[in-house]
Amino acid sequence: MLREAVARLRDGRWLVIVIALAILAGAIAIAGRIATGQATNDLRDSALAALPLAAGTLTGEIEKQRLVPLVLARDDAVRGALRRAGKMQEAALNDKLKAIAGDASASAIYVIDTAGIAISASNAGEPTSFVGIDYNFRHYFNEAMSKGSASQYGLGTISGRPGLYLASRVDDNGKPLGVAVLKVELDGVEANWRSSGFLVFVTDERGVVLATSQPEWRFHALAPLSAEDAAAAHEQLQLPDAAFEPLPIRRGAGDGLATIDGPGKPRQFVEVVQDLSGAVPGWRLWLLTPADAALSSAANTARLTTLLGLLLTGMLAYVFTRRRRTRRLRQEALARMNAELESRVSTRTAELTHSNIALAGEIAERENAEAKVRRLRDDLAQANRLSILGQIAAGVAHEINQPVAAIRTYAENAGRFLETGKTEPASGNLTSIVSMTERIGAITNTLRTFARRPGVAASPLPVREAIDGALSLLSGRIRDSGVTIVKPRGTASPMVMASRIRLEQILVNLLQNALDAMKDQPDPRIEIDLAQRDDRVLISVRDNGPGLGPEAAGNLFMPFQTTKEKGLGLGLVISQEIAQELGGTLRLDPDSTRGASFTIDLRRIE
């Protein structure tokens, strides 16, 4: 009987031990799983924070390079070369394209005629020159000819190096002349990605890897391609022999984790993706954050903490059970230990809460900074107008000072006349004061109107009103400089559809440049001419200053190109953009024999 009781007791203890060990193992496994999930979420948040930076590095490079073919499509030298394509060598244009390619860090820039033959290139004269090569088979050429612009990623026909081709159609009065093309190789972007510590790559609409921080992944695919997609990829990328092997990536079941197979042990990554169709149609950017170390550390820490916690809890429970009937002091000591443990947990919880609040504040500050950047970009044109306003403020103050002095004199005289009872001359002085205040009001209203941010809508506008407004704004400076202003002959004022403030801003920019150019010039003179040709109105501003050299004239409408010591090189660029918004153009007249002449070409309305 006794032996049976002892055996039953031992069996009961082993059962309790087995159950306790099972609970302990289950709790440790659950803690590791929860910690792994939390670490995965933290890594995903980190990857999502880094994703816009990685995408911005690529899209910023593309958008910067996209401007070059757009500008070349409007360049008179490019249009002239395409008009006479095949008739003469384009050495000057080759040199110009080579200089632009160097400044823009482009791999190559070239111009193709309507037959698909490259007539000029930045690498002309080199063994790998594009001049004379037929690009009629390229998608970017045919798409640009039909739609106006295009982009294509693929291997170079001559160089054999991959790159992104950006193309813009060159038109002449609505007639296509050819295509301006820029090739940009993304080596710098890929190097930036590699230095970030993340795995980054870009895929096209078929899932083929194009740009990547892992060079050996280039031209692999996210998944096996169908025969139709493989054929299309071969043609699009100019890769007739590419196998488009699948990437060594295995994705989890909706947990955001990806496993990369390779030499040695498979590695885990947290994967995020961003659509880049706004920059290049069909492109997507993938960013993979290494997760092995973080997940292993989080899981091990959670398991160890859980083990220690459960062991401590079990030990406390055992001691409490064994000695709950003993001394009160021991019970109080155990209560203090529990209270201390709870205090530490509360302190840690408060620290985590504070960290979360601080993180939310940093996110709000970043969003606020991004909003400020957008507002600064939108205010660029307004800042240019206010800069001009500041330059002419001294002259306007001088203009106002004279009628103010006259008002004072008239007021004093009117007071004396009223004291002596002479009301008629006093009334005349008061009338003069009213006239002077109207003059001051006209001056300040011109300033206020010019400084106001213009509305979007245009309206019918007599051209002479804009010319008179610009001359009124600059009247003080014109008088002080001693420059002779020759206004348009006659009294006719053709009508155009425009915003007066925007047209005045163009004229003030041109007049300011002319006044700057004629400092220390003998007999300075500015002629403003107004002409009508068919349905066009031409406003010309000509000075008799030293004029512009060939190099300055060629870069005149390029951003940040200026001949002034303190100039920003944005005035003419902004003026040209305003003229285009008004449905017209701003150009430098090529037939100037002395000085510089600019013409604003706008559509005339009845």
Side-chain angles (χ1 to χ4, degrees):
M1 295 285 294
L2 180 61
R3 289 181 179 180
E4 292 179 359
V6 171
R8 286 196 298 270
L9 180 60
R10 288 178 179 176
D11 291 342
R13 288 179 178 179
W14 280 112
L15 181 60
V16 170
I17 292 174
V18 169
I19 293 174
L21 289 177
I23 293 174
L24 180 63
I28 291 174
I30 292 173
R33 191 175 300 111
I34 292 174
T36 300
Q38 182 61 46
T40 301
N41 291 334
D42 293 341
L43 289 173
R44 184 179 296 106
D45 291 341
S46 176
L48 289 173
L51 186 61
L53 299 179
T57 301
L58 175 64
T59 57
E61 179 68 16
I62 293 174
E63 294 306 322
K64 179 184 72 174
Q65 300 290 0
R66 197 188 302 275
L67 293 174
V68 176
L70 289 174
V71 173
L72 287 175
R74 304 176 184 176
D75 190 271
D76 291 336
V78 174
R79 291 174 177 170
L82 288 170
R83 292 192 194 100
R84 57 178 180 271
K87 298 180 181 179
M88 61 182 294
Q89 294 295 323
E90 299 297 341
L93 182 56
N94 291 335
D95 293 339
K96 181 175 183 178
L97 297 180
K98 183 176 182 180
I100 294 175
D103 293 339
S105 300
S107 174
I109 303 176
Y110 47 106
V111 178
I112 306 173
D113 63 14
T114 54
I117 306 299
I119 66 167
S120 183
S122 60
N123 60 357
E126 299 178 6
T128 57
S129 172
F130 295 172
V131 177
I133 302 300
D134 187 355
Y135 291 98
N136 191 46
F137 68 96
R138 283 288 200 181
H139 288 273
Y140 63 76
F141 169 74
N142 293 291
E143 186 175 349
M145 286 294 292
S146 62
K147 298 182 180 180
S149 63
S151 61
Q152 178 185 356
Y153 189 92
L155 285 184
T157 306
I158 304 299
S159 67
R161 292 178 56 83
L164 179 63
Y165 296 85
L166 302 172
S168 291
R169 187 179 63 207
V170 182
D171 293 330
D172 184 14
N173 295 325
K175 176 183 178 183
L177 296 178
V179 175
V181 185
L182 177 143
K183 178 186 178 184
V184 54
E185 296 178 1
L186 303 176
D187 296 345
V189 174
E190 293 173 340
N192 184 283
W193 288 344
R194 281 193 292 273
S195 66
S196 70
F198 300 102
L199 293 182
V200 186
F201 60 93
V202 171
T203 59
D204 62 9
E205 65 273 14
R206 300 177 186 86
V208 177
V209 177
L210 305 180
T212 172
S213 61
Q214 295 286 105
E216 63 272 16
W217 286 5
R218 196 186 316 278
F219 302 132
H220 283 56
L222 293 175
L225 299 183
S226 65
E228 182 180 356
D229 285 342
H234 284 139
E235 180 183 5
Q236 180 79 13
L237 301 173
Q238 299 296 304
L239 294 169
D241 300 325
F244 302 121
E245 297 179 357
L247 289 173
I249 299 178
R250 291 181 286 109
R251 291 175 173 80
D255 57 359
L257 291 175
T259 302
I260 297 181
D261 298 322
K265 182 181 179 181
R267 297 173 296 163
Q268 282 190 311
F269 293 81
V270 171
E271 180 183 76
V272 292
V273 63
Q274 180 170 328
D275 188 8
L276 299 181
S277 297
V280 180
W283 279 24
R284 302 178 75 192
L285 183 138
W286 304 74
L287 186 145
L288 282 71
T289 302
D292 285 329
L295 296 181
S296 176
S297 175
N300 290 336
T301 300
R303 293 182 186 119
L304 180 59
T305 302
T306 303
L307 175 61
L308 293 177
L310 290 176
L311 289 177
L312 179 60
T313 302
M315 185 180 298
L316 291 175
Y318 175 77
V319 172
F320 180 75
T321 302
R322 291 280 295 179
R323 300 192 178 183
R324 63 182 176 178
R325 298 178 181 178
T326 60
R327 305 177 190 175
R328 175 170 296 201
L329 292 176
R330 185 59 176 169
Q331 294 177 348
E332 293 177 354
L334 291 176
R336 286 196 297 269
M337 292 177 63
N338 288 332
E340 181 181 357
L341 182 60
E342 292 177 358
S343 175
R344 291 179 181 179
V345 172
S346 298
T347 301
R348 183 56 179 163
T349 302
E351 292 175 354
L352 292 176
T353 302
H354 179 73
S355 298
N356 289 335
I357 294 173
L359 180 60
E362 291 177 1
I363 293 173
E365 289 180 1
R366 176 175 294 181
E367 292 175 349
N368 186 40
E370 292 176 351
K372 288 181 179 178
V373 169
R374 289 192 295 271
R375 288 195 297 271
L376 288 174
R377 183 176 61 239
D378 295 339
D379 289 343
L380 178 59
Q382 178 72 1
N384 174 257
R385 187 158 50 254
L386 295 179
S387 174
I388 295 171
L389 199 61
Q391 296 174 16
I392 64 178
V396 173
H398 183 67
E399 288 292 308
I400 295 175
N401 189 51
Q402 291 179 350
V404 168
I407 288 172
R408 179 176 180 177
T409 301
Y410 281 128
E412 290 175 349
N413 291 339
R416 294 191 186 96
F417 287 139
L418 291 174
E419 288 175 358
T420 58
K422 298 178 180 180
T423 59
E424 184 174 350
S427 176
N429 283 1
L430 293 176
T431 302
S432 299
I433 289 174
V434 172
S435 176
M436 292 298 176
T437 56
E438 290 177 351
R439 180 181 175 186
I440 293 174
I443 295 172
T444 56
N445 184 63
T446 302
L447 277 176
R448 185 170 61 254
T449 301
F450 186 78
R452 185 183 302 124
R453 187 184 298 272
V456 176
S459 60
L461 172 70
V463 175
R464 285 185 181 270
E465 285 189 9
I467 296 174
D468 293 340
L471 291 174
S472 175
L473 286 168
L474 295 173
S475 59
R477 184 177 177 188
I478 292 171
R479 182 183 60 255
D480 294 340
S481 64
V483 176
T484 300
I485 302 295
V486 180
K487 297 177 66 175
R489 294 182 295 273
T491 59
S493 181
M495 302 289 289
V496 296
M497 183 64 69
S499 165
R500 175 173 174 174
I501 297 176
R502 289 184 177 272
L503 185 53
E504 283 183 359
Q505 184 173 356
I506 300 175
L507 291 168
V508 169
N509 267 321
L510 296 179
L511 290 170
Q512 290 256 72
N513 290 343
L515 292 170
D516 291 338
M518 292 191 298
K519 287 183 178 179
D520 303 325
Q521 292 291 319
D523 189 24
R525 180 186 182 90
I526 298 176
E527 297 181 4
I528 303 175
D529 190 24
L530 188 59
Q532 300 183 59
R533 295 179 184 172
D534 299 329
D535 63 340
R536 311 300 296 179
V537 176
L538 307 179
I539 311 168
S540 300
V541 178
R542 181 189 300 271
D543 63 64
N544 61 349
L548 296 167
E551 182 178 356
N555 297 328
L556 200 58
F557 293 101
M558 292 290 290
F560 308 111
Q561 300 292 326
T562 180
T563 58
K564 301 178 184 179
E565 293 183 0
K566 298 182 180 180
L568 291 178
L570 293 175
L572 286 176
V573 176
I574 293 174
S575 297
Q576 187 183 54
E577 291 295 330
I578 293 174
Q580 292 173 352
E581 289 177 5
L582 299 178
T585 60
L586 171 63
R587 63 175 180 270
L588 173 68
D589 297 331
D591 58 348
S592 302
T593 57
R594 185 168 185 266
S597 177
F598 291 85
T599 297
I600 306 169
D601 187 339
L602 299 173
R603 185 173 63 85
R604 179 173 60 86
I605 62 174
E606 299 298 337

